[in-house]
Every structure is written in structure tokens, then in C-alpha cells.
Amino acid sequence: MSTAESPGRPAPAWADGRASAGRERLGRAAVAGFALATAADLGSLLAGWDPGHLVFKPLLMPLLVAYALTRGAPRLLVAALLFGWGGDLALLFDAEPAFLVGMGSFAVGHVCYLVLFGKRPANPLLAGGYALALLGTVGLMWTDLPADLRVPVAGYSLLLTAMALRSSALGLRAGLGGALFLLSDTLIATGVAEWPQLPRPDFWIMATYLAAQYLLATGVLAARQAYRREVIQD
């Protein structure tokens, strides 16, 4: 029986080093794959090539999850990203039931983020700004939304705004991710309300969404690393 397999004995330092190097290579490959899939998906949306979007969109969150796992991601972060993936897949179908399923999946992901962010205090001024944005946006869109979607959209918007606000407690990177997530979903809601849209609205929705998920994931990982360094120093 080898030393690494012997019960009660720690693995040799060279084995730990090789495992760490392997995770590092896998992490670099995963984040490179995420960047390439992001470029391909956004390029497909700009070109109006729907088959490309159907191919590349389902790859995005699994690649980001793979990267996060190589960095020791907590389970709640993995769950949040996977529920985001579920929402991505549902929104590939252009139908109201699929929209509701997708919104529900994203909502569960936001709950995962909220639990993950903990009870760190948020900036009161920022909280006031988010509250005004929520009330103003929902209030303005209310009559333009389909009647059966008004309450679900309002409830989801409240949850999303809470997530965006709480993300700021982890630092600028995660806070920017939360704000971009709010912007992305607001763009979706304005489309549902049939408000005037930017050219290629799907491009802007996906661009802000992918930036949001990446910033949230890396913001959480950075906060965990900073906490571990503080514990070691203490």
C-alpha cells in the first residue's frame, strides 16, 4: 500500500502540490472556457444567429461552476449558480409558463445568495436608493405588465433587490455584480411590459447577466479568501 493510501498517514507534500497544480490548471481551463462561451454567445446574439445562442448559453453556468469549485466554492454559491443555469435553460423557451419557471429558478438562486451573504450590515444610503429604484420601477411598469404576471414580477423584484443590496456587504466586486443582475432582469421586465427596447436587447440582457454572475461568484470567493487570511494571521 502506498504512503498516500495508508490509513492514518497524511499525504506527502508532493502529492498535495500536484493536486493543487491540477486544480489550478482545471480552474484556468474552466474560466477560459467561460470567457470563450461568453464571447460566442454574445457574438451570436449580435449577429442574430439563434442556433449559436441555443448552443452556447447552456454551457455558461456549468463552466463558471467548474471554475468556482476549483477555488473551493461554498455549496450555496454552487447552488445559486446552478439555479441560475436552470433559469437560463427555461428562458430558452419563448412561452409564459417557461418564463415563470425561469423566474422561479432564479428566485431560489437569489435566496441562496442571500443566505450566503449572511447578516453583514449594508450601507443605509444604498438601501434607500435600492428601495426607491424598486418602488419606482415596479410602480411605472405595473399597468403595462400582463395582469397575471404583476404579482409574481413584483415579488421577484423585491427578492432580487434584496439580493443586490446584500451583495454590497461583501465588497465592491460582489456589489457591482448584484447591481448588474438587477439591471439585467429589469431589462427583461421592460420587454415583458413592451416598453421601448435598446437595439439587440437580448445582447444587453445577457452581457449584464453574465458579468453579474461572474462578479458575484468571484466576489464571494475573494471574500472567503480574505477571511481565511485574517483567521490565519490571528
Side-chain angles (χ1 to χ4, degrees):
M1 183 179 291
S2 67
T3 304
E5 295 172 345
S6 299
R9 295 184 183 181
W14 58 263
D16 287 342
R18 288 176 63 178
S20 178
R23 287 193 298 272
E24 185 70 23
R25 287 194 297 271
L26 181 58
R28 288 197 297 267
V31 77
F34 176 75
L36 289 172
T38 294
D41 185 56
L42 296 180
S44 298
L45 291 172
L46 280 177
W49 187 45
D50 292 338
H53 183 56
L54 292 173
V55 169
F56 295 114
K57 186 180 183 183
L59 301 177
L60 292 163
M61 287 305 105
L63 287 167
L64 188 55
V65 166
Y67 169 72
L69 286 172
T70 66
R71 295 299 185 269
R75 293 179 181 177
L76 282 171
L77 174 58
V78 174
L81 294 173
L82 289 177
F83 279 111
W85 183 46
D88 292 344
L89 296 178
L91 294 184
L92 287 172
F93 300 92
D94 188 15
E96 186 173 307
F99 177 78
L100 290 171
V101 169
M103 188 165 59
S105 189
F106 282 121
V108 178
H110 296 326
V111 172
C112 292
Y113 275 130
L114 282 168
V115 176
L116 180 61
F117 296 154
K119 298 181 179 179
R120 298 175 180 86
N123 187 306
L125 291 177
L126 186 61
Y130 271 124
L132 288 175
L134 172 65
L135 293 174
T137 303
V138 173
L140 288 171
M141 286 193 300
W142 185 262
T143 57
D144 294 328
L145 290 169
D148 57 336
L149 290 180
R150 289 171 185 168
V151 172
V153 167
Y156 175 81
S157 298
L158 176 60
L159 182 60
L160 171 60
T161 303
M163 186 280 292
L165 173 62
R166 296 296 309 133
S167 69
S168 64
L170 266 66
L172 180 60
R173 177 186 289 261
L176 181 57
L180 286 173
F181 213 136
L182 180 61
L183 174 59
S184 179
D185 281 5
T186 300
L187 292 175
I188 294 176
T190 59
V192 175
E194 298 184 353
W195 283 14
Q197 299 289 294
L198 294 168
R200 298 294 183 189
D202 288 347
F203 169 84
W204 299 108
I205 290 168
M206 282 302 296
T208 50
Y209 165 70
L210 293 173
Q213 290 283 40
Y214 177 79
L215 290 170
L216 283 168
T218 55
V220 168
L221 295 173
R224 282 175 62 85
Q225 290 174 356
Y227 174 76
R228 287 171 179 169
R229 285 195 297 267
E230 289 177 2
V231 170
I232 292 172
Q233 289 173 357
D234 290 343

